[in-house]
Structures are given as structure tokens and as C-alpha cells.
Amino acid sequence: MRVSTQSNLAAVTLAFALSVTSAAGEITDAARSKNSTWMASSIMSRSQGIMTGKGGSSELLQAGITQRALTALAAQYPDDAFTSDVKAYVLSSACSVSPFLQNASYDALSYPLDRLSNGHALLDYSAPTDNMTSGPGSFAGAAVALRDSIDYNRRNDEGGLWYFTYPQWSYLDGMYSLAPFYVRYHVEAETAYPIPAWKQATLAAVNDTYHQIDLLWSHTRNASSGLLAHGYDASRTAVWADPDTGASPHVWGRSLGWYAMALVDTLEVLPDSASEYRDLILEKWNSLASAVVKAVDPTTGGWWQILDEPGREGNYIESSGSAMFAYALLKGTRLGYFATNADLASTAVDAAIRGHEYLTDTFVVRETNGTLGYNGTVSVCSLNSTATYEYYVGQPINYNSVLGSAAYILASLEVERLAAL
Ligand SMILES: *[C@@H]1O[C@H](CO)[C@@H](O)[C@H](O)[C@H]1NC(C)=O
Ligand SMILES: *[C@@H]1O[C@H](CO)[C@@H](O)[C@H](O)[C@H]1NC(C)=O
Ligand SMILES: *[C@@H]1O[C@H](CO)[C@@H](O)[C@H](O)[C@H]1NC(C)=O
Ligand SMILES: *[C@@H]1O[C@H](CO)[C@@H](O)[C@H](O)[C@H]1NC(C)=O
Ligand SMILES: *[C@@H]1O[C@H](CO)[C@@H](O)[C@H](O)[C@H]1NC(C)=O
Ligand SMILES: *[C@@H]1O[C@H](CO)[C@@H](O)[C@H](O)[C@H]1NC(C)=O
Ligand SMILES: *[C@@H]1O[C@H](CO)[C@@H](O)[C@H](O)[C@H]1NC(C)=O
Ligand SMILES: *[C@@H]1O[C@H](CO)[C@@H](O)[C@H](O)[C@H]1NC(C)=O
């Protein structure tokens, strides 16, 4: 038993003695029968989403979203022959990040909020039903450290979590990694240890999660378009900060994509005890989804890199943000999050299916060796920049970025569910 310093989780931890090898090599005909499995096996053949510590500032996010997409795939196709390889790959990705994430205060200072995207796989493999022993280097140890790193993360005066090292800056991007993990962690802890203190901790975590969502909303939302800018500076001193709200000037597709996925994935894990928050998040999600559907490019069906400046010179349809919107809209519909808005549900599904078709036709590349590539994903866009229009449209395109291809898997899984109905 290991007791965490901050959140006091009586965590039982799993010491893993693993020698996991990734499933590399040939793409089987079975894997090629679906976009999701084909892209997944291609990512695996490229050994992507495995942390080396040398892959730059977005390595933890790359691992985290790869784990999320592959885990969703394994859950959707439990009986496919390919699924055991997929699960082994998720495990090897979790193994690769675990040693980097054992120290909560270090994690909070050294990595952006994106680090938290890895928490799900770590929790999956340290479930209370597993055979657990305590010890450093363990998955549960990393999951607890990640949770505690939220308490060490620096915040602005309104309680908004800094995205990373930049004083007072909060970004939409961080929400995908923070929100669903933060809530899920507490729901599982409370289930494992049903005591009043844990029940209160869950509600506090849900409250804090909603507070983060809401701060970003109130600082960055453009009331006329309904879209949210990339982030805000609570001190209003950054060169790009709006003097009133602190908001950055542009609506960056992928950052809003992260935020949209965060809302849907958080709704999915919210406990029944949090119905008040469910209503608040649903209200935001319905409003945002409607703005996202309105912002779709009518000609192609994709979404622009700078979402609210369609057709401006240099702007283009970006393949990671577009896949994230397609996923969020389809999953949001499937889980009934537009239940009070049948028109929105139907336009959301149409837009997402059309968007996915466009992504498949335009950005999915069939390589001669049988793998799929994924094109059109912008590399990192940081607010540690001028944050001008020219900056966003001038950032390079990364071929085979998992930030795009893993989101494409998530969108494809939703499309495949519909096709199977
Ligand atoms: C991939 O998606 C496209 C667009 O939705 C679809 O037409 C195609 O049949 C899918 N491919 C496979 C292998 O399922
Ligand atoms: C397949 O070909 C692509 C494009 O040349 C390359 O990036 C990828 O690494 C190859 N995959 C394998 C498993 O050889
Ligand atoms: C955790 O990280 C902090 C901050 O970097 C450091 O001061 C501390 O010694 C570390 N703790 C352990 C057990 O390594
Ligand atoms: C749990 O661990 C013990 C001690 O290492 C081992 O004997 C036992 O077989 C394990 N049980 C399972 C279900 O893995
Ligand atoms: C969250 O907690 C704070 C502090 O207790 C409270 O003021 C706020 O109303 C809560 N938020 C919601 C949405 O209930
Ligand atoms: C808000 O959106 C509208 C419509 O897209 C746009 O004309 C306006 O410039 C935006 N305002 C800000 C502050 O970005
Ligand atoms: C990716 O897209 C760019 C821009 O359209 C194009 O120049 C490049 O050839 C594409 N790469 C592949 C492998 O299709
Ligand atoms: C922020 O940008 C400056 C100027 O380009 C650069 O020197 C610095 O390393 C960047 N900060 C981080 C944490 O990447």
C-alpha cells in the first residue's frame, strides 16, 4: 500500500515485470478491412506513441492520445484477432511513459497538462482487481503521481491551471488530458474505497474540472461566432492578450478540437452524483457543437486551421482538428448529449460523416508497403509566439503526426459504429 502525499489515495500498486514487444511489421488483411484498424496497425508499425524521452515537448501527448485511440479500438472490437496486439501495444506505451511520471511535483513543473492523457492507460492497468504490490516504477504509482501533479500545478488568481511553464497562461489544449482523467480517477477511487472523504473528493474534483472548463469558456469565447480562441493570459500582459479578457486572437482548430473532445469524454465519465455539473457541461457542449457545425467548410466538409477565417490566404483544412470534431460530434450524438436538440443531432452527424469522408479521401495515404499514412496535420502551434494569423498558418505540416492519425482512428470508430447499425 502506498499512500499518496496529496490526495491521500490508499493506492495499491502494480509492479509490472514486463517485456512487451510492439506488434510490428505486416499489416494483415483483417486489419485492412476497417479504417480504424488499418490506421492503428500503421501507427504501431511505425512505433509511434512510445515515449523515448527524446521526442520533444509533445511526446507525452502523442503517447496519451495513441493509448486513448487504441484502447477505444480494443473495446469496440474485443473479438478481433488483431486486438491482443493492440492491447499489448497500449501496455508498451504505458510502460514507456510510466518511469517519467513517478514524481508529482516534478511532473507538474516539467510537463504541460498534456501529461495527464496517459492517466487512463495507467489506471486501466492498475485496476484494483489486478494483482497488486506497491513499488516505485509502478503504473498505479504513476497514475497517483499524475493525479497529485494537478495539486502541484501552478494556477492563476482565478484558480485556472497554467497549461505549462508560461506564467498565467491557460490553453484549451490542456482540457482533453486534464478533464476526463481528473474525474475518472476520483470516480474509480471512490468506487474502490466507498468512504465519505472520497465522495467529497470526487465532487471537489468535478467542481474544479468544471471550473477549468468554465474559465476557458468565459475568457476565450466569441459570443458572435460561439467559438473559443486558443487560450488566455490571466495577467493580460502577453503580446497577444486581449486587454479585457486576456484571450489570444485566433480560433485554432486543433485546440478547440481538444476542448470539444474533453467535454464529450468528461460527460462520459461523470458520476450520477454530479448531475448539476452534467447539465452545465451539456449546455456548453450543445452551444459549442452548434458553432462547430456552423463553422464547417461547406465546400469540402472539413474544418479550417484558423476556424473562423475560412478562405483567407494561407488558411487550409487541417486534418487533426477536423478528425477531433468528427469524433466529438458523432460520439456526442451517440451518447445522447444532444437529446434536447434533435436538429443539432442530425446536422452534427451529417457534418461529421461528411468530414470523415473528406479526411479519408484527402489525407489518408496508401503507402506502397501496405501501411496508411496521414497527412495535413499541423505541428505544434504555441502561444509562446506572436500568435498572429501568419504564425498559425505558417507552422509546418507534420506527415504521420499521431495527433492527427489517432484522432482519425477515434472518428473512424464512431463512423464504423454507425455503419454497423
Ligand atoms: C474508410 O472510410 C471511408 C469514408 O467514410 C469509406 O468510404 C471506406 O469504405 C472506409 N474504408 C474501409 C476499409 O472501411
Ligand atoms: C512504409 O512506408 C512508409 C513510406 O515510405 C514509411 O514511412 C514506413 O516507415 C514504412 N513502414 C514500414 C513498416 O516499413
Ligand atoms: C520530486 O521532484 C521534486 C521537484 O523536482 C524534487 O525536489 C524531489 O526531490 C523529487 N522527489 C523524489 C522522491 O525524487
Ligand atoms: C499474484 O502474485 C503472486 C505473487 O507474485 C503470484 O503467486 C500469483 O500467481 C499472482 N496472481 C495472478 C492472478 O496473477
Ligand atoms: C464549486 O465550488 C465553489 C467553491 O465551493 C463554489 O463557489 C461553486 O459554486 C461551485 N461550482 C458549481 C458549479 O457548483
Ligand atoms: C468574433 O467573431 C466574429 C465573427 O466571426 C468576428 O467578426 C469578430 O472579429 C470576432 N471577435 C474577436 C474579438 O475575435
Ligand atoms: C502531404 O500534403 C502535401 C501538401 O498537400 C503534399 O505536398 C505532400 O506530397 C503530401 N504527402 C504525401 C505523402 O502524400
Ligand atoms: C518560448 O519561446 C522562446 C523564444 O522563441 C524560446 O526561447 C523558449 O525556449 C520558449 N519556451 C519554451 C518552454 O519552449
Side-chain angles (χ1 to χ4, degrees), residues 32 44 82 92 110 140 193 216 235 281-282 292 327 398 417:
R32 282 197 244 188
M44 289 158 58
F82 176 62
S92 65
S110 313
Y193 306 101
L216 284 158
S235 70
I281 299 174
L282 277 174
V292 165
Y327 161 72
N398 272 358
R417 277 180 193 268

Side-chain angles (χ1 to χ4, degrees), residues 28 107 143 153 172 175 201 210 222 254 318 323 342 344 362:
T28 63
D107 293 354
N153 205 99
L172 301 183
M175 286 305 106
Y210 179 72
N222 178 322
R254 182 158 78 227
E318 199 278 327
L344 177 56
T362 311

Side-chain angles (χ1 to χ4, degrees), residues 194-411:
I195 54 173
W198 272 111
K199 209 174 157 121
Q200 275 161 26
T202 304
L203 285 177
V206 172
N207 176 298
D208 190 22
T209 299
Y210 179 72
H211 188 49
Q212 303 307 316
I213 290 170
D214 190 46
L215 280 173
L216 284 158
W217 183 272
S218 52
H219 280 272
T220 67
R221 183 165 181 270
N222 178 322
S224 107
S225 67
L227 299 169
L228 278 58
H230 186 175
Y232 72 95
D233 173 4
S235 70
R236 281 99 166 143
T237 54
V239 288
W240 43 256
D242 180 283
D244 292 332
T245 61
S248 64
H250 294 289
V251 179
W252 176 33
R254 182 158 78 227
S255 70
L256 191 56
W258 291 124
Y259 186 90
M261 296 199 296
L263 296 187
V264 171
D265 287 356
T266 302
L267 284 165
E268 189 182 23
V269 296
L270 270 190
D272 293 343
S273 56
S275 60
E276 172 197 348
Y277 295 92
R278 173 175 299 274
D279 291 347
L280 292 167
I281 299 174
L282 277 174
E283 195 181 318
K284 286 188 161 55
W285 171 232
N286 276 252
S287 160
L288 177 62
S290 150
V292 165
V293 169
K294 276 203 195 87
V296 75
D297 174 48
T299 309
T300 59
W303 283 269
W304 295 84
Q305 158 76 346
I306 297 293
L307 212 58
D308 58 348
E309 304 207 44
R312 181 166 167 190
E313 190 182 350
N315 208 357
Y316 55 89
I317 303 294
E318 199 278 327
S319 70
S320 62
S322 293
M324 291 174 183
F325 292 134
Y327 161 72
L329 293 172
L330 287 172
K331 183 170 174 181
T333 308
R334 172 168 65 82
L335 297 179
Y337 301 151
F338 305 128
T340 57
N341 198 341
D343 284 351
L344 177 56
S346 115
T347 53
V349 168
D350 291 349
I353 290 177
R354 183 159 176 245
H356 179 265
E357 264 166 26
Y358 180 74
L359 294 175
T360 307
D361 290 348
T362 311
F363 298 115
V364 175
V365 178
R366 292 189 184 203
E367 302 285 8
T368 49
N369 61 14
T371 60
L372 288 184
Y374 197 71
N375 207 352
T377 297
V378 71
S379 64
V380 171
C381 293
S382 170
L383 285 175
N384 187 31
S385 69
T386 56
T388 56
Y389 177 83
E390 289 70 26
Y391 167 76
Y392 284 97
V393 301
Q395 284 299 91
I397 298 298
N398 272 358
Y399 186 57
N400 282 338
S401 165
V402 285
L403 305 185
S405 56
Y408 175 78
I409 291 174
L410 289 168

